[in-house]
Amino acid sequence: MKLRSATASDFAALSRLHKACFAEGWDERALLDLAASGARAKIAERSGRIAGFILFRTAADESEILTLAVGPGERRSGLGRSLVRSAAQEAARAGAARLFLEVGANNAAARALYADLGFREAGLRKGYYRAAGAAPEDALILSLPLSGLGKASL
């Protein structure tokens, strides 16, 4: 596996992957707009193809994971963990003290990954996720302190 920063030419493929992972996948324009506003995308490649990516942004002393997408055939292989670690390290280098994200309350696999990495519950957003034809799902707000990141198990 190889981790690298995304380039403008990657965003069409990132959009396709995001749509394969989420009921309400983001289109290329949405991803490019986030990147233009300061978000960074890190890509995990396997055998020369994009297997997953993370999109995050840092402002002042906080960083937020906007999305994490790992292809269905690549899950439970350590890609998600590697991408979150990479984003956390970059956020810490940029001066962030905490890393935040929202995760579906019913997404047991993602919640287990984040808990294993040291994220803790910091709040709840009722009915945050709304997919066409589905009942709204609550989102848990998770937080990870980045101080002393080099000593953490992350």
Side-chain angles (χ1 to χ4, degrees):
M1 176 189 60
K2 174 185 168 189
L3 291 180
R4 67 173 176 84
S5 294
T7 64
S9 64
D10 291 317
F11 282 89
L14 298 184
S15 174
R16 285 190 298 275
L17 178 58
H18 202 265
K19 289 175 181 178
C21 294
F22 297 99
E24 300 287 322
W26 297 346
D27 64 20
E28 181 180 4
R29 173 58 31 212
L31 293 170
L32 284 166
D33 287 348
L34 285 165
S37 72
R40 300 211 34 195
K42 296 289 284 193
I43 292 174
E45 289 183 323
R46 279 219 171 112
S47 302
R49 64 176 181 75
I50 296 173
F53 76 97
I54 191 166
L55 188 68
F56 62 101
R57 67 176 158 211
T58 302
D61 66 344
E62 294 183 347
S63 193
E64 177 186 16
I65 293 175
L66 302 169
T67 194
L68 171 64
V70 175
E74 301 289 345
R75 294 183 184 150
R76 298 198 170 278
S77 68
L79 282 178
R81 178 179 303 276
S82 293
L83 287 164
V84 172
R85 282 181 175 153
S86 178
Q89 290 164 349
E90 285 197 28
R93 282 193 299 272
R98 296 189 92 51
L99 179 60
F100 291 92
L101 60 89
E102 284 112 3
V103 63
N106 297 330
N107 190 339
R111 289 179 61 193
L113 168 67
Y114 296 130
D116 190 48
L117 288 168
F119 284 85
R120 299 292 173 251
E121 223 175 292
L124 176 73
R125 296 188 197 279
K126 290 286 215 180
Y128 183 75
Y129 294 109
R130 297 178 181 271
E137 181 182 1
D138 294 344
L140 298 175
I141 301 168
L142 304 182
S143 173
L144 176 73
L146 297 177
S147 60
L149 184 61
K151 300 174 191 165
S153 63
L154 184 69

